Amino acid sequence: MNDCLFCKIIKQEIPSYKIFENDYIYAFLDINPVSDGHTLVIPKVHAENLSTTPDLYLSEVNKAKKIVAQILQEKIEGIKGFNYISNQEAIAKQVVFHYHEHILPKFKEDEGFLHDKNVNLKYASLEDVFNEITK
Ligand code: 5GP
Ligand code: ZN
């Protein structure tokens, strides 16, 4: 049995706010965003991290990062840049062991970074930002 949280999200057993999907990847809003539009891109194959993800999926994740960033930039006002981040192993603060890339929209300098507690979001809920992105 596969108990992986992100595999369950791919299979829609756990709900998520989907931003983009194709045969190889699934992209959805992070449940605990550090900036508006904070999105995770994951391969549709279970691999713990980047090192063990098949090359085909790695390349598709990378292509999807570009597509998702374009979607976010078009739909959310004020995005001036992005951090693309992937944590590998607990020492690097990896918490979910299904390879994922974070896409963090940047609106101003010195704003929230990964796992920050003091974040300043414009949208009150994930649903609000999702509605903005998909309208
Ligand atoms: P990392 O493993 O890179 O440190 O972080 C895992 C990320 O997954 C965190 O930013 C966390 O907020 C996000 N996350 C954990 N559980 C869920 C979930 O059930 N749904 C969604 N959308 N994101 C999650
Ligand atoms: Zn998985």
Side-chain angles (χ1 to χ4, degrees):
M1 199 179 84
N2 181 356
D3 268 339
C4 170
L5 177 67
F6 285 178
C7 284
K8 287 181 179 162
I9 285 179
I10 292 165
K11 288 185 269 175
Q12 315 288 319
E13 290 170 13
I14 293 175
S16 66
Y17 289 102
K18 180 178 79 177
I19 303 302
F20 178 70
E21 178 180 24
N22 63 26
D23 288 347
Y24 301 98
I25 72 90
Y26 188 81
F28 59 106
L29 294 178
D30 192 297
I31 204 166
N32 197 12
V34 296
S35 69
D36 290 306
H38 179 175
T39 298
L40 300 173
V41 180
I42 63 178
K44 285 184 173 176
V45 64
H46 181 79
E48 279 206 352
N49 50 44
L50 187 149
S51 303
T52 53
T53 300
D55 286 350
L56 171 63
Y57 285 88
L58 276 186
S59 127
E60 291 293 332
V61 166
N62 224 25
K63 285 197 275 182
K65 281 158 62 182
K66 185 175 170 185
I67 292 167
V68 169
Q70 276 166 355
I71 293 170
L72 296 173
Q73 192 129 37
E74 272 168 27
K75 300 290 190 163
I76 300 177
E77 220 180 291
I79 295 179
K80 298 193 173 67
F82 297 92
N83 289 119
Y84 302 98
I85 304 168
S86 184
N87 301 324
Q88 176 149 325
E89 300 296 350
I91 193 163
K93 302 226 182 321
Q94 183 176 6
V95 176
V96 178
F97 287 83
H98 177 127
Y99 169 53
H100 53 279
E101 292 278 342
H102 294 260
I103 301 181
L104 300 182
K106 308 303 285 191
F107 297 85
K108 57 182 169 49
E109 287 185 30
D110 302 326
E111 68 182 336
F113 207 65
L114 220 48
H115 300 310
D116 271 1
K117 300 287 176 253
N118 299 317
V119 296
N120 186 13
L121 304 172
K122 185 171 114 190
Y123 295 90
S125 68
L126 280 191
E127 191 177 0
D128 286 352
V129 72
F130 178 74
N131 288 338
E132 187 72 27
I133 294 166
T134 53
K135 84 177 178 199

